[in-house]
Amino acid sequence: MESGDPLVSAEWLLKNFDAPDIRVLDATYFADFTNPPETGRQAWARGHIPGATFFDIDHVADDASPYPHMLPDAVKFSSRIRKLGVGDGNRIIVYDQNRFFASARVWWMLRVMGHTDVHVLDGGLAAWVEAGGGLEDLPPVVSERHFTPRVRSDLIMDSAGLEKAVGSARLAIIDARPDGRFFGRVPEPREGLKSGHIPGSVNLPGSALITEDGHMKSARQLANLFKDPMAPTVTTCGSGVTAAVTALALARLGNWDVAVYDGSWTEWASDPSRPIATEA
């Protein structure tokens, strides 16, 4: 059973940084459609927490999927993460430089693969620097470790399962996209996709979970945003990244069993036979 807070503070990481079992991953990701000035890997190369390896969600992914950064199978995941020096017995701390984008996604991926000793650095790299942590721009020397996957399929939602749940009151569906896209007022950034939402889903933009300085809101603040934080829940977004931020917030409230719809709106709206709603 997972419990406690899925996030750690920069102060905690500074205090425990030299523990031999700790591994730090930089999961910075910028979506292409935002026209970022650099890639996540370039941001990592420019400056990262000492010893942190770069976790590329577009590389540790299902290469055969037509959708972006989909979760790979256990064999591919374990093969690629071993090369990052991460394996059994490690306490993993994931951070990013973009407001939990995509540290929460990597936190979820590791948990799907059965690794429970994983936390997200609250506030990301900025919090580390503010707390007095140093940076380096050299890649770390990595030794491969054995990683044993123990897949938790209950943390993954696919389109078939979600189609069965639509119209049912047994599962809360929370969409983390901005409300304009959710209600069909604003076009999707991915060409060819209609905007709107999965019927029966509710909108809670991922930005509502984050403070102005890039930390996740407190448990008390988060509790006011969810109708029933402990309800069986699946989260969705544009492509399965922001949805993991919602799952992280619900874990902070004690619900560790939230499933993420991996394909999210990119997959759902790609099939014209699936229903799309635009009303409240």
Side-chain angles (χ1 to χ4, degrees):
M1 293 288 292
E2 294 171 280
S3 61
D5 196 338
L7 293 102
V8 296
S9 68
E11 290 76 15
W12 181 93
L13 184 56
L14 278 167
K15 182 178 179 181
N16 293 275
F17 188 73
D18 292 328
D21 59 338
I22 283 184
R23 297 293 182 274
V24 181
L25 299 175
D26 185 318
T28 304
Y29 175 78
F30 303 103
D32 290 342
F33 61 77
T34 64
N35 297 315
E38 61 184 352
T39 66
R41 184 178 294 277
Q42 288 169 335
W44 166 81
R46 183 166 41 80
H48 51 265
I49 292 176
T53 51
F54 182 66
F55 189 113
D56 185 347
I57 63 170
D58 283 330
H59 176 67
V60 187
D62 180 1
D63 300 324
S65 174
Y67 310 115
H69 42 253
M70 293 295 96
L71 188 73
D73 62 30
V75 173
K76 181 173 289 186
F77 183 90
S78 58
S79 173
R80 293 190 174 177
I81 199 166
R82 283 200 305 264
K83 295 176 181 177
L84 301 181
V86 172
D88 301 342
N90 285 149
R91 284 188 290 172
I92 303 173
I93 309 300
V94 193
Y95 76 92
D96 61 58
Q97 304 181 40
N98 190 24
R99 301 173 70 84
F100 296 94
F101 220 70
S103 56
R105 168 85 184 181
V106 174
W107 166 84
W108 170 76
M109 293 172 72
L110 284 159
R111 293 177 57 244
V112 168
M113 294 298 166
H115 196 101
T116 57
D117 201 351
V118 52
H119 292 76
V120 175
L121 178 60
D122 192 16
L125 188 68
W128 168 262
V129 172
E130 185 177 352
L135 301 179
E136 68 178 13
D137 58 6
L138 298 175
V141 177
V142 174
S143 298
E144 288 194 28
R145 290 181 58 90
H146 181 72
F147 183 91
T148 306
R150 300 177 179 87
V151 177
R152 282 195 59 183
S153 57
D154 60 306
L155 296 180
I156 313 167
M157 178 59 71
D158 59 18
S159 58
L162 198 54
E163 285 183 45
K164 292 178 181 178
V166 169
S168 167
R170 66 181 178 84
L171 186 68
I173 305 171
I174 301 177
D175 191 317
R177 291 174 299 151
D179 60 359
R181 291 163 59 188
F182 180 86
F183 290 112
R185 299 191 303 264
V186 176
E188 284 294 311
R190 293 176 175 85
E191 186 176 352
L193 290 183
K194 293 182 179 179
S195 56
H197 58 270
I198 299 166
S201 60
V202 297
N203 184 225
L204 179 57
S207 59
L209 309 174
I210 312 300
T211 64
E212 290 186 3
D213 62 355
H215 290 261
M216 181 161 281
K217 289 183 176 179
S218 68
R220 178 178 294 182
Q221 292 171 314
L222 292 172
N224 293 326
L225 300 176
F226 295 93
K227 181 179 180 180
D228 182 0
M230 299 306 295
T233 300
V234 59
T235 62
T236 182
C237 59
S239 64
V241 179
T242 312
V245 182
T246 308
L248 180 67
L250 285 166
R252 182 164 235 192
L253 293 174
N255 187 350
W256 289 83
D257 298 321
V258 173
V260 170
Y261 175 25
D262 198 16
S264 282
W265 191 251
T266 300
E267 180 183 38
W268 185 271
S270 294
D271 186 341
S273 70
R274 295 193 184 106
I276 292 177
T278 54
E279 74 283 352

